[in-house]
Structures are given as C-alpha cells and as structure tokens.
Amino acid sequence: MRMSNRENAKLMTGNEACAEAALFAGMRFFAGYPITPSTEIAEFLARRLPQVGGTFVQMEDEIASMAAIIGASLAGVKSMTATSGPGFSLMQENIGYATMTEVPCVVVNVQRGGPSTGLPTLPSQADVMQARWGTHGDHPVIAVAPSTVRETYDWTIRAFNLSERFRTPVILLLDEIVGHVSEKIVYPARGEIEQVERERTSRDPESYLPYENTDSDIPPFAEFGAGYRYHVTGLNHDETGFPTNDPKKVDILNRRINRKIERYRSEIIAYSESSLEDADICVVAYGSSARSAHRAVLDARRSGYKAGIFQPFVLWPFPHERLSLIAQRIKNFVVPEMNLGQIAHEVSCATNRNIVRVNRVDGGLITPDEILEEIKNVSIR
Amino acid sequence: MYTMAVKARKYEVIINTNWCKGCLICVALCPKNVLAMQKAKAYVADPEACTGCQLCEIYCPDFAITVHNVSDAHVE
Amino acid sequence: MFPYDKYLRRDKFPHIWCTGCGCGIVLKALLRAIERSKIPKDDVAIVSGIGCSSRTPGYLDFNTLHTTHGRAIAFATGLKLAKRKLKVIVVTGDGDATAIGGNHFIHAARRNLDMTVIIYNNYIYGMTGGQVSPTTPAGKRSTTSPHGNVEPAFDISGLAIAAGAPFVARTTCYHAVQLDKYINKGIMKKGFSVVEVLTPCPTYYARPNRLGNAVEMLEWYKNNSIQIEVARNTSDEEKAGKITIGILHDSDRPEFCDVYSQLSARVREANKE
C-alpha cells in the first residue's frame, strides 16, 4: 500500500466516492429521485454538478429519471442515475430501452432490504438477479459490485468506461453498507484509470447508419443535434434505426445486442483471488459480504484451514470459466450472500461442486465468524 | 382594343393514388367541387374549377394531394 | 403548394394511420409551423411516446426519438437539458400524455422546461384497438367501456394550465390553419407550451359510437367548438356542451434551462471566491 500523502487521500463514504468518481469519469448529467440509502449521491451531485458545468435535476419519479438520463446521453452527455430497490424496479422498462437503443448510461443501485419497502436503512444483495433479468426480453447486461469505498471510486469510473465502450447501460451494485461506510480512500494517480469515450461515427450524415452491423458489433455513435438527423426507437429496428418486423432483421438485432457483450466477456470480466493456490475451500464473495469473507479466510488460515477467496467485481457477465477452472482442483465452495443464494446458484452452475450457502436475509451483514464456521464445517466432512 | 382573355387554367391538382386512403375529406371540403371519388380514391373531376385555395392539400391526412401553380406544374 | 417533402422521410410513406385519421392533418400543421419558425432541421428534435400519434417522428427528417409509453416528456427533459440549442417538440396522445404519462406532463409544466407538447386528443386508445382513455366523454363506448364510459374526462388544457404551463392552446383538426399558428406560437415561445388538438379517430372512436366518418367528425368539431374570445361573452346555456378553443392561456414565467444556467453561473462565481 503506497504511502498516502495528505492531499491524495480523503475520508468519505461509498456514496460520495461514487458521485465524485462519476464527475471524474466525465459524467455531466444526473437525474434522480430521493430514496434511502442512495440519496446522498443525488445530494452530492446537486451541489457539485453546477460547479463543473453539469446539470442535476430531481425528477418526479424513477421512471422519469431513467428516461431523462437516456435523453441526455443521446445528446452526447455522459449521464447517471442512482436509486435503490423500489426505484430500480420502476426503472426496468427504460433500462431495457437503453439496452435496445444502445445508449450508454450508468444506473447505481444502492441495495437495501427487500422485497418491497423492506428495510430502507439496512443492506441486502437481493437485487442481483433483478440486475440481470429485471427488464423483459433476452438482453445483455453489465453489472459491477465493489466492496470498499476505493473500489466504489474505481468501479464507478470503469462502469462509465464499459457503458461508453459497449454503448449499454451498466448497473453499479452497491448496498447500504458500501454506500454509507466511511473509509479513507487514496485517489488513483492521474492516468491510473483511463477514461473511455464512446466511439463516434466517421461517416457523413448521408451514409450514417445508427445501428450499423459493424465487425465489432458496436455501432459508432452520433449525437442528436450534430447534423445526423437519425431515428431512435425501442421497436425492433434495422441498421437504419427504423422499425421492422422482418424476421431476418429482427433476429440480427436481437442476436447482435446480446453478442455485443458476450463476445467481449474476457475483456469485461474482472475478479480478485487470494490464497487459492493451495486452498481446498474457496469462498466466493462480492460486495460488502466480501469484506467479511476476507477476514474469515485470514482467520481460517490462522487456524490451519486452507481457505482462499474468489471475489468477482463484475457480476454480469458472470465469470463461469474461471470458477470452473478453480473447481477442477477445489471441491468445496462457500458462498456468503445477503440473499437466499442468487450468486450461489451461478457458482453451482459454474463448478458442479458442493456449494455451502451462507445466507442472511435479516438486514444484517454476514460476519466473518459465520463464514469461518462454515469453512470449518466443510473441512470436517 | 379588348381581347377576350381565354380562361387559362392556373392550378393543377395532383393526386397520389398510392397514398390516398379515400377518406373523402378533400371532396367534402373543396369549395368548388373539383374533387370526387373514383374506385375509392380521390380524383380531379373538374380541374378547371380549381381556384388554388389549397384546402384539399391542407386537410389531406395522407399527403396524397398537392396543388400546383400551372407554371410550376409544367416545370416539374 | 407547401414543401412538405422538405421535411418528410418519403420512403416511409404511405403512413400507417387509418383512413380519415387526423394525425396526418396535425402533422402537416406541425411542418408548416416549423417551416415558419425557420429553425434548421439539425436543431429540431421530435420526441414521442407510444400510440398512433407517437409514430409521427418516424416520418420526419429531424432528430427523432420514439420512446416508451407515456415517457416522451421525461426523455425530452434530459435531451433538452443536455443540449439547450435543440428545439424539442413532443408529439403525444391523450392516453400517452395524461394517463400513463400524466406525472411527467404535470411536472414538466410545473418546471416550465422549454419544449412544445402537441397532444393529439382523439378521445380513445387507437393503437391498441379502441380502449377507453382519460378523455373519452362520459357515456361513450369503447372496447373497455362496452356499456358506456362511466368515468368523467380530463380537461387536458385545464390540467396543463393548472400545472403551470405558460402557453396552452386548444383547437381541432377542422381548424387546421389556426392549428399551425398555435404550434408555431408554442415553438417560438420560451417555456412549456401545450397545444391540444381534437383529432378524429374514425376507426375506433367514431364507428363504435356511430359518429360517422372523418368528414362528419370534422363537421362535428366545427359545430361544437367556440372560440374563447366569443365564449367570454356568451351565456352558459348557449355554449353548453361546446368545446372552448383558441389560446386559452398565454403568460410568461422564467424558463427552467435559463433558471438553471443562472444558478450554475452564480454557483461558479461563488466558487471562485
């Protein structure tokens, strides 16, 4: 850990880090609606955006917030909204619209206890599957889950980079703990994290195809008001952007927008591993559960149990390949989650191994001891 | 010397029968009964009567009728 | 002859609207209004939701955005705030704007964001096959009010005025020339402008209610509307059942983009000290 100098470090919460990182990434339009535990993101940006020539607007509901950030992004401005479970549910239709029309934007979901109004001030990780399948239809998604304030800072920037690179909404999954915990964060050095801009078209307006089937599967972008005068619709459309029911064209679009993320899995997927080389138990943990899991693995090692940890930062697309590789050697997986086993399900698909679920759905953070307990139990068997 | 001006037709009404859906609005609104229906489409029954008032063009929901000054019409 | 072709994506024609549907009449008035405004095509964005009228953008050679049902105004809010030079025009229907989209409609009016909202009020949900809408008159039939509509209707213009829209005009497809003047006025006005247009739906409103074809509906509008200037000094009995048309409200109020720019300038100034 590099020695931090005074001005390069700061004490802040995850929500604040998320907001500040968004500004660093070039976000200049935020539309949101108050909802615990994400409201601080809106409050921070309401103060900061006018200072940097950006625009903040509190919309009348989350549906409008999601609509507004798509509109702003179409005008060429990096845009973001932030919410929690109930608002995230309201945003689903327009998240699907942004996916279908390939408009880059970032949607932050600071998860709280669910379902329904649930536990507004307490954490959960139970929206993970909603982040994957919340909106209707076959669609791709990129969802990332940091576990510390510094990771939130880095992953907010990467969320914008991924959304710009792939012209897609990216879901940033925090939870009440990551959002509200205060930690010292050392800012990344200048250039340590690159800043990606969506690829703009080099064609002239007459030949521009807004949804061109390029080799990369990612159509170059042209912003509204720049002389391209093209059409955007949520209806299934062809390369020209106009609606079509022609089965061949419909099939091409549906497969392209999914392939557009699937084929770049290796570039998108990101995770960290520690003490897995000689481990016979692998703890798979993400978000705030990973904080406890790191400590549990440390304690396990001290007590002579060979445990290691696999922490995915990108939840969707899920790192199946890496986990199935790990499962060739490691037979036991412990998956702590503040839900009833949503990622555990993916781990079991990837590994075909014995999965021990450590689930809490009582609004409390899973403690290291609860994880350690399972590590011990699984070692005895 | 006074010569009788031959009443030259000043306007030409053109109908795009592919776009016309036969809604009868132009026929009903034309103050000079220039238009009528033929095989469920509008057609120019009495071109001479047209005074170029453009009501048919303004009200046609199908963009199927255009009124041209004769000079433009030939030029096109 | 008006140069409609200058604005049309001709390869998309003939359009999908039914025989005698008023959408084409409103669309023509919109193009005449835009022509008169002399705003370059590159700077015009037409945003729509879902419904018959919301297919309008696809036919027009502007920056066109066909969004989700009821949300056009919310999308337009982001578009406008992110690129102020865009002249944003929303085309929407009575259901799209005041049923599912009602919340966005009243809030954008309250904020007074600079955009022109044209509401094609045909008293019915046309695209989905003729269901009752928030403006279907009491007693009228539709596929979801087969025994007659028992709900009272919205007064869309009244709703817009009450929500704070500084410019609200109402007219009908019969008054097509007046319509393009109102749309132009709305476009030139800085602020949230609403133009409500009573639009004939021969297929799904007139037929089930035996109101005749498009011509008879236009006739009905002519005989059942009253200009606001006349209405002001007409007894209630005389104007009972008549729809008041004209410029119903025309005031001035700080526009949201301006207000926000002033705020940003003030904040950056204070930041310098």
Side-chain angles (χ1 to χ4, degrees):
Chain A
M1 176 67 174
R2 213 170 17 77
M3 272 310 295
S4 66
N5 43 35
R6 261 300 134 263
E7 72 294 345
N8 201 15
K10 197 176 175 220
L11 182 70
M12 66 171 72
T13 65
N15 280 352
E16 193 183 335
C18 172
E20 203 164 306
L23 294 176
F24 178 87
M27 183 278 293
R28 289 297 178 270
F29 184 86
F30 179 92
Y33 189 79
I35 183 167
T36 304
S38 79
T39 313
E40 296 82 2
I41 296 174
E43 289 166 343
F44 181 86
L45 290 171
R47 197 166 45 78
R48 288 283 286 126
L49 273 166
Q51 294 170 346
V52 296
T55 301
F56 166 88
V57 58
Q58 180 173 304
M59 297 296 283
E60 49 274 16
D61 56 41
E62 288 90 347
I63 301 169
S65 303
M66 190 63 218
I69 68 170
I70 296 170
S73 185
L74 267 171
V77 176
K78 288 188 184 181
S79 63
M80 173 169 113
T81 186
T83 188
S84 185
F88 192 50
S89 295
L90 288 175
M91 291 180 174
Q92 291 305 317
E93 184 190 4
N94 282 339
I95 287 173
Y97 184 89
T99 305
M100 184 65 152
T101 56
E102 301 178 84
V103 174
C105 55
V106 171
V107 179
V108 186
N109 176 7
V110 188
Q111 299 168 90
R112 73 194 213 179
S116 184
T117 315
L119 299 163
T121 58
L122 294 175
S124 111
Q125 297 177 301
D127 302 349
V128 168
M129 276 300 174
Q130 181 179 23
R132 177 65 190 93
W133 292 113
T135 196
H136 56 284
D138 286 309
H139 59 275
V141 81
I142 297 176
V144 301
S147 64
T148 69
V149 172
R150 170 61 196 274
E151 283 171 9
T152 299
Y153 190 91
D154 296 354
W155 278 101
T156 299
I157 298 167
R158 292 197 187 104
F160 275 98
N161 290 347
L162 290 166
S163 85
E164 290 286 311
R165 161 113 172 78
F166 296 104
R167 284 195 59 174
T168 180
V170 170
I171 315 296
L172 179 61
L173 288 171
L174 311 184
D175 63 54
E176 186 279 326
I177 289 169
V178 177
H180 283 165
V181 74
S182 283
E183 283 174 332
K184 183 179 84 174
I185 130 173
V186 176
Y187 289 105
R190 186 142 298 284
E192 188 180 327
I193 303 181
E194 57 164 343
Q195 199 174 330
V196 171
E197 302 295 329
R198 64 198 73 171
E199 184 201 351
R200 303 286 178 127
T201 184
S202 51
R203 285 176 177 271
D204 56 75
E206 278 60 40
S207 64
Y208 176 59
L209 292 171
Y211 295 98
E212 189 178 352
N213 291 316
T214 59
D215 303 340
S216 67
D217 281 334
I218 306 162
F221 178 76
E223 66 188 50
F224 267 33
Y228 283 81
R229 299 201 306 271
Y230 63 95
H231 187 61
V232 173
T233 178
L235 285 170
N236 205 294
H237 45 271
D238 60 23
E239 286 186 299
T240 66
F242 287 98
T244 178
N245 282 352
D246 168 353
K248 212 163 53 56
K249 290 183 178 175
V250 167
D251 185 78
I252 288 172
L253 180 71
N254 280 340
R255 289 182 191 278
R256 179 176 66 74
I257 55 172
N258 282 282
R259 189 176 58 240
K260 181 177 74 168
I261 305 299
E262 268 317 300
R263 68 182 268 192
Y264 295 105
R265 296 175 59 84
S266 52
E267 183 186 330
I268 298 169
I269 283 168
Y271 48 81
S272 78
E273 296 175 11
S274 55
S275 348
L276 275 180
E277 304 71 23
D278 65 342
D280 46 37
I281 298 159
C282 173
V283 179
V284 179
Y286 60 93
S288 49
S289 302
R291 303 168 71 97
S292 303
H294 280 290
R295 179 51 193 268
V297 165
L298 209 63
D299 294 347
R301 284 281 171 173
R302 285 190 188 126
S303 321
Y305 296 93
K306 290 211 200 92
I309 180 165
F310 177 87
Q311 177 181 357
F313 293 112
V314 175
L315 293 184
W316 311 113
F318 190 72
H320 289 282
E321 302 84 350
R322 182 59 192 160
L323 270 172
S324 55
L325 211 64
I326 292 169
Q328 281 166 10
R329 197 173 56 73
I330 296 178
K331 297 185 180 49
N332 297 300
F333 289 79
V334 175
V335 185
E337 288 176 281
M338 289 185 287
N339 59 48
L340 292 174
Q342 295 185 22
I343 285 298
H345 169 73
E346 294 298 317
V347 175
S348 70
C349 297
T351 61
N352 253 321
R353 290 295 193 181
N354 167 34
I355 308 293
V356 174
R357 296 159 191 253
V358 184
N359 301 134
R360 278 190 63 170
V361 285
D362 58 1
L365 175 64
I366 298 171
T367 63
D369 289 347
E370 285 168 285
I371 301 170
L372 182 58
E373 192 60 34
E374 293 309 326
I375 291 172
K376 288 178 180 167
N377 292 343
V378 104
S379 304
I380 300 157
R381 275 197 301 279
Chain B
M1 215 272 289
Y2 169 72
T3 56
M4 233 280 279
V6 171
K7 181 165 166 296
R9 182 151 57 83
K10 284 210 250 44
Y11 301 100
E12 176 144 26
V13 180
I14 300 174
I15 292 173
N16 176 341
T17 48
N18 296 331
W19 290 10
C20 166
K21 293 178 181 161
C23 69
L24 291 162
I25 289 178
C26 62
V27 174
L29 284 182
C30 174
K32 296 294 181 189
N33 300 318
V34 171
L35 302 160
M37 296 304 285
Q38 189 180 64
K39 288 200 240 65
K41 302 275 183 171
Y43 92 103
V44 187
D46 180 5
E48 305 308 319
C50 175
T51 63
C53 76
Q54 318 246 351
L55 278 180
C56 57
E57 185 182 289
I58 288 169
Y59 281 94
C60 170
D62 300 328
F63 290 79
I65 194 166
T66 47
V67 179
H68 305 265
N69 294 332
V70 166
S71 49
D72 317 343
H74 294 317
V75 161
E76 246 167 38
Chain C
M1 187 192 98
F2 184 87
Y4 293 112
D5 288 354
K6 177 176 156 190
Y7 296 104
L8 297 183
R9 290 165 168 155
R10 281 187 65 89
D11 58 324
K12 305 297 174 226
F13 284 76
H15 58 57
I16 59 157
W17 295 311
C18 305
T19 302
C21 165
C23 283
I25 299 173
V26 182
L27 171 46
K28 281 186 166 175
L30 169 61
L31 296 181
R32 293 194 301 272
I34 290 174
E35 169 81 359
R36 196 177 308 133
S37 74
K38 298 204 174 17
I39 295 168
K41 294 200 290 187
D42 289 345
D43 296 344
V44 174
I46 314 273
V47 185
S48 69
I50 296 293
C52 299
S53 54
S54 287
R55 293 302 288 266
T56 299
Y59 298 117
L60 301 179
D61 181 19
F62 299 111
N63 304 278
T64 53
L65 178 57
H66 181 210
T67 70
T68 46
H69 192 32
R71 318 304 175 185
I73 288 174
F75 276 85
T77 298
L79 191 66
K80 178 67 181 178
L81 285 170
K83 186 170 276 194
R84 309 280 165 85
K85 78 164 176 146
L86 279 176
K87 174 54 71 176
V88 174
I89 298 168
V90 171
V91 287
T92 174
D94 45 295
D96 191 56
T98 68
I100 186 169
N103 200 22
H104 315 307
F105 179 59
I106 55 175
H107 283 276
R110 173 181 60 81
R111 273 187 213 106
N112 193 25
L113 191 63
D114 182 24
M115 66 175 72
T116 306
V117 180
I118 302 165
I119 302 177
Y120 299 51
N121 182 2
N122 60 1
Y123 288 164
I124 203 85
Y125 279 87
M127 178 65 79
T128 40
Q131 296 72 32
V132 71
S133 116
T135 56
T136 304
K140 285 291 187 271
R141 287 187 203 294
S142 75
T143 58
T144 46
S145 63
H147 310 296
N149 178 26
V150 290
E151 294 184 19
F154 260 145
D155 167 359
I156 293 182
S157 291
L159 186 63
I161 295 168
F167 178 82
V168 177
R170 173 194 290 139
T171 186
T172 85
C173 277
Y174 178 74
H175 306 85
V177 175
Q178 188 183 61
L179 173 59
D180 72 50
K181 287 193 182 57
Y182 292 160
I183 295 175
N184 179 264
K185 227 169 133 49
I187 288 173
M188 303 317 284
K189 176 120 190 158
K190 177 175 271 249
F192 192 77
S193 313
V194 176
V195 178
E196 177 191 359
V197 194
L198 298 180
T199 311
C201 174
T203 306
Y204 284 119
Y205 180 67
R207 190 146 44 103
N209 291 294
R210 290 179 185 69
L211 297 172
N213 61 19
V215 174
E216 283 146 325
M217 291 195 73
L218 290 178
E219 198 67 27
W220 188 85
Y221 291 140
K222 177 182 160 192
N223 302 327
N224 288 278
S225 58
I226 179 168
Q227 289 289 357
I228 186 160
E229 296 79 8
V230 175
R232 282 203 183 96
N233 34 49
T234 307
S235 69
D236 289 347
E237 302 77 31
E238 251 180 294
K239 60 183 177 190
K242 289 209 186 248
I243 301 153
T244 306
I245 62 172
I247 296 181
L248 310 182
H249 186 61
D250 190 0
S251 63
D252 279 297
R253 184 152 84 73
E255 188 274 333
F256 187 74
C257 292
D258 288 350
V259 167
Y260 199 84
S261 310
Q262 286 146 22
L263 174 133
S264 303
R266 189 161 30 87
V267 162
R268 271 203 295 264
E269 204 49 46
N271 233 8
K272 282 206 191 77
E273 281 110 35

